[in-house]
Amino acid sequence: MRLNSHPSGRHFLQIPGPTNVPDRILRAMDYPTIDHRGPEFNALARKVLRSLRQVFQTRQPVIVYPASGTGAWEAALVNTLSAGDLVLMWETGHFASLWKRMADRLGLKSEFLGGDWRKPVDPDAIEQRLRADTQHAIKAVCIVHNETSTGVTSDVGAVRRAIDAARHPALLLVDTISSLGSIDYRHDAWGVDVTVAGSQKGLMLPPGLSFNAVSEKAVSSCKASTLPKSFWSWEEMLSTNANGWFPYTPATNLLYGLSEACDMLLEEGLDAVFARHARHAEATRLAVKAWDLEILCGDPAAYSGSLTAIVMPEGHDADAFRKVALENFNLSLGQGLSKVAGKVFRIGHLGDFNDLMLMGTLSGVEMALGLAKVPHKAGGVQAAVTYLRDTAPGARA
Ligand SMILES: *Cc1c(COP(=O)(O)O)cnc(C)c1O
């Protein structure tokens, strides 16, 4: 239950996922569930599995699970690895840490590099570590493309080049749960072996679907991998998907929505989608700078296009501030997770989003900063307005 049981107007769901589900997708899902072994479903599945490849920028299969992103993390690990295998991971933040904990729980050995929650993955450090691994004990390198707890985006192509430069056979596994459909991501061109994604962020769907895009190398490593797998097994998925079927009941209505989501992204054009996100991210950062608050990401080259994490001034609690924003303006902002709990709040600017939704969000933040008596300068909203005006399509003259 919301605090105000009859809030008029729309709730502002500006957490970095789940994101706002557009009406077009809500309507696309509002149909009777059909027989998942019938011809109508078969046509839908073939279409969705084809469109998905375009969104992942791949010619390889994309597997769809009726699960949250965490399930697709597990699928990526259990299909490619064997008990005791060593995986090299990079600690960008909370989500990288959860993926590592999962690897440990599954009986893998994991090694964490990095640990600075304000910096992206360092490809040179990965290359050095792989060069030192002359016995090829490391079986996979696992990274989070866009670390949602910190708003830091890493260069996946550079990590691929680092693995190649070290002439190391490790697989490259990448979590794109908060970047796919928001920040440029290329499964094939960047030589990724398994891409993990979820439905409820850039894909604008409700939670409940997750994905593994796979490479040929990943599929062949699946044959040798001995970690137990049944529900998550790629083998039956790939063989049945090839003919437009699923090995168990799919999330039919979410697939209606997924089909619509892919259409929306491809109609807008992926480049336009990424540019839209980058522009809203820049406008947000201009507001944060004008407020004289600090952006958590410490490397401007790694600023995230899908969310911005903002450091609370010393002595102020981020969660108390978020509560003020929710209670007064019906605006949900992202909380700080684990190590940065209470210390940061996050503005999600991804998914189905436009200039005026961003301005509503930033206005809510600025008003809540005032009400919560968080020390800041005025003018953040104005800085974003000016930037959006000057970069609007009609401003070219
Ligand atoms: C949201 C998120 C997850 C967790 O996904 P669930 O759908 O909650 O299981 C993992 N990694 C990243 C980068 C995320 O943004």
Side-chain angles (χ1 to χ4, degrees):
M1 271 296 286
R2 295 224 186 95
L3 292 163
N4 174 351
S5 56
H6 298 287
S8 55
R10 285 239 173 170
H11 174 63
F12 270 66
L13 182 66
Q14 296 318 132
I15 59 175
T19 64
N20 298 288
V21 181
D23 293 352
R24 204 174 136 180
I25 290 181
L26 290 173
R27 283 196 297 265
M29 294 188 302
D30 187 13
Y31 280 94
T33 302
I34 54 175
D35 174 9
H36 62 285
R37 306 198 196 280
E40 204 185 336
F41 180 84
N42 190 254
L44 167 75
R46 287 175 187 272
K47 187 262 172 193
V48 167
L49 294 171
R50 209 171 37 241
S51 307
L52 266 180
R53 293 182 190 202
Q54 286 176 267
V55 174
F56 283 79
Q57 305 200 51
T58 182
R59 293 171 177 278
Q60 315 291 321
V62 180
I63 289 163
V64 184
Y65 292 108
S68 87
T70 302
W73 265 348
E74 179 158 337
L77 297 174
V78 299
N79 278 287
T80 54
L81 298 163
S82 301
D85 277 357
L86 180 59
V87 292
L88 184 63
M89 303 178 115
W90 193 280
E91 188 185 351
T92 40
H94 175 70
F95 289 102
S97 306
L98 290 183
W99 202 9
K100 179 185 188 290
R101 188 184 69 179
M102 174 186 278
D104 294 336
R105 286 175 174 173
L106 290 171
L108 298 165
K109 281 192 221 123
S110 63
E111 183 178 324
F112 237 175
L113 292 181
D116 180 340
W117 282 32
R118 307 186 74 161
K119 296 260 172 61
V121 176
D122 175 2
D124 293 336
I126 299 240
E127 183 179 335
Q128 269 184 29
R129 179 64 189 89
L130 292 178
R131 277 187 193 282
D133 179 35
T134 52
Q135 302 298 310
H136 296 166
I138 296 169
K139 300 303 178 199
V141 174
C142 301
I143 58 169
V144 175
H145 180 213
N146 184 68
E147 176 55 73
T148 322
S149 61
T150 60
V152 176
T153 306
S154 291
D155 185 343
V156 175
V159 173
R160 172 81 268 164
R161 290 192 293 278
I163 297 171
D164 293 346
R167 296 175 183 278
H168 197 288
L171 294 164
L172 176 57
L173 276 45
V174 183
D175 171 346
T176 67
I177 295 174
S178 64
S179 54
L180 190 87
S182 307
I183 300 169
D184 191 12
Y185 182 77
R186 306 168 186 218
H187 177 85
D188 285 358
W190 295 344
V192 177
D193 292 299
V194 187
T195 297
V196 173
S199 57
Q200 75 273 28
K201 299 184 186 181
L203 292 181
M204 309 174 286
L205 290 160
L209 292 181
S210 57
F211 309 91
N212 276 180
V214 297
S215 71
E216 269 175 36
K217 186 174 164 187
V219 172
S220 53
S221 68
C222 180
K223 299 200 168 71
S225 114
T226 63
L227 280 179
K229 48 191 152 293
S230 171
F231 181 81
W232 302 116
S233 175
W234 287 344
E235 226 174 320
E236 267 189 286
M237 270 286 193
L238 289 171
S239 60
T240 53
N241 279 181
N243 299 312
W245 306 114
F246 283 77
Y248 42 79
T249 313
T252 309
N253 290 56
L254 281 170
L255 295 180
Y256 298 158
L258 178 61
S259 172
E260 198 70 17
C262 291
D263 288 351
M264 288 175 74
L265 291 170
L266 298 171
E267 279 166 24
E268 185 176 355
L270 291 181
D271 287 343
V273 169
F274 303 146
R276 169 166 58 82
H277 281 81
R279 181 166 163 273
H280 289 150
E282 175 65 12
T284 302
R285 291 189 297 266
L286 289 171
V288 176
K289 284 170 192 164
W291 289 324
D292 204 18
L293 296 178
E294 193 183 357
I295 294 167
L296 181 64
C297 178
D299 178 354
Y303 282 152
S304 169
S306 54
L307 76 135
T308 302
I310 297 148
V311 182
M312 266 330 241
E314 202 69 46
H316 293 266
D317 177 32
D319 293 335
F321 160 72
R322 289 189 317 107
K323 189 161 179 273
V324 169
L326 179 63
E327 288 180 355
N328 290 275
F329 306 113
N330 198 15
L331 164 64
S332 287
L333 297 165
Q335 67 184 105
L337 297 168
S338 57
K339 235 160 96 168
V340 290
K343 297 188 177 123
V344 308
F345 69 95
R346 298 171 297 150
I347 301 175
H349 33 72
L350 74 164
D352 184 50
F353 201 52
N354 64 24
D355 289 11
L356 297 188
M357 291 164 85
L358 177 62
M359 289 321 308
T361 303
L362 295 176
S363 298
V365 171
E366 188 162 322
M367 290 188 287
L369 287 170
L371 286 179
K373 300 193 169 37
V374 176
H376 69 288
K377 294 200 172 116
V381 166
Q382 185 57 52
V385 163
T386 303
Y387 174 78
L388 291 178
R389 180 197 64 201
D390 293 347
T391 57
R396 284 183 223 117

